[in-house]
Amino acid sequence: MSPVFSEETHRNLLSRIPQCTGREVSDWLRTVEDGPSLFRFEEKVSWLRGEHHLSYGHAKAIIHEYDLRRAARKLL
């Protein structure tokens, strides 16, 4: 997996996503879930950037959050 931002930077990016994109983070996570079956982190980031015209930082934060939540579901 690609290196990710610090926890603080990640949370700051997530908090700005709704005002920058007009969509809530939960909407973006559903978009990733319903999107193509890509395996690599950078492929998912590139898909979000290309398909939805997100900045690199926002796309990376969304994919990182998606991966964190998916991993947490597997642990439960």
Side-chain angles (χ1 to χ4, degrees):
M1 180 188 299
S2 175
V4 294
F5 304 113
S6 71
E7 183 65 26
E8 181 181 2
T9 301
H10 177 66
R11 293 288 154 215
N12 287 337
L13 279 167
L14 285 180
S15 71
R16 288 193 304 260
I17 285 173
Q19 83 181 50
C20 293
T21 67
R23 292 176 61 186
E24 294 296 322
V25 172
S26 59
D27 292 338
W28 286 113
L29 296 176
R30 277 192 296 279
T31 297
V32 173
E33 182 72 27
D34 296 340
S37 297
L38 302 171
F39 293 102
R40 296 182 59 229
F41 184 88
E42 288 298 330
E43 289 175 328
K44 295 175 194 175
V45 171
S46 293
W47 172 74
L48 269 183
R49 291 182 73 208
E51 188 74 21
H52 298 282
H53 311 289
L54 293 176
S55 71
Y56 179 73
H58 288 147
K60 191 171 179 178
I62 290 166
I63 297 302
H64 181 57
E65 186 67 17
Y66 175 80
D67 287 347
L68 287 173
R69 291 183 186 196
R70 193 177 77 184
R73 284 193 311 252
K74 288 184 179 180
L75 292 175
L76 297 177

